[in-house]
Amino acid sequence: MTNRAKQIFTSGHRLGLGGVPQGNEFEVVTDEDAMKTLEASWKAGIRYFDVSPWYGLGAAERRFGMFLHNQPRDSYLISTKVGKLLKASPKNDARSNFPYGNSPNNVVFDYSADGVKRSIEDSLQRLGPRGSLQIPPGVVSQIPPPARQDKGLLV
């Protein structure tokens, strides 16, 4: 466990908040309701937040970024995933993945070194305008079988 994680995960604060619902995975969640959820979790002592570009095809990262932008940077830990790049497209298939979402994006799977770098850069953009926002090393998850075979990746 990193020093930052040890600071955040004290005996009184061992829970985190996942971002799937904030990405409209199960129902439409308004920005206002997302902010209320994040505010309530903060008041309850939650300081670890987990998001992904996949959650609402960028919606969850944007919402977490809006909320965390107003919190002291050294008081929380946020993680995201890599390997899924979002590409805006007027003919997107976002609703096939997130029927309650309204994202203009399609997903491009890219687990190459350049794709991972781009994924982190894109996440930082969605997470907010705060230049000091840092993300711990990305978690590669849900690598589709062709990517494993074509790229020689071990899972």
Side-chain angles (χ1 to χ4, degrees):
M1 189 178 304
T2 67
N3 287 341
R4 289 263 310 122
K6 286 179 184 177
Q7 291 170 349
I8 300 298
F9 295 117
T10 64
S11 60
H13 301 286
R14 293 200 181 262
L15 297 176
L17 180 68
V20 172
Q22 306 314 317
N24 298 319
E25 175 80 15
F26 309 112
E27 64 183 347
V28 173
V29 176
T30 65
D31 286 343
E32 181 182 357
D33 286 343
M35 292 305 113
K36 287 179 183 177
T37 298
L38 290 163
E39 181 66 35
S41 69
W42 188 268
K43 286 181 180 176
I46 302 295
R47 296 297 183 270
Y48 171 62
F49 303 94
D50 176 67
V51 294
S52 168
W54 181 249
Y55 305 160
L57 301 180
E61 285 183 327
R62 283 191 305 279
R63 288 172 168 174
F64 276 71
M66 283 189 294
F67 177 78
L68 293 172
H69 176 72
N70 297 313
Q71 307 307 326
R73 176 59 195 109
D74 61 349
S75 64
Y76 64 87
L77 184 65
I78 188 164
S79 62
T80 191
K81 284 86 176 163
V82 298
K84 294 180 177 118
L85 300 176
L86 306 180
K87 303 286 184 183
S89 172
K91 296 182 180 181
N92 68 70
D93 64 351
R95 288 207 185 256
S96 68
N97 294 308
F98 294 95
Y100 299 106
N102 60 357
S103 175
N105 299 310
N106 282 328
V107 176
V108 176
F109 295 90
D110 187 347
Y111 296 96
S112 68
D114 287 342
V116 168
K117 181 180 176 188
R118 175 72 189 271
S119 184
I120 292 170
E121 290 169 352
D122 290 353
S123 287
L124 287 170
Q125 287 293 316
R126 284 187 294 275
L127 285 165
R130 204 168 158 171
S132 63
L133 188 62
Q134 297 174 351
I135 301 174
V139 177
V140 178
S141 63
Q142 303 169 348
I143 299 176
R148 289 186 206 128
Q149 295 165 0
D150 296 343
K151 305 292 184 194
L153 298 174
L154 300 175
V155 181

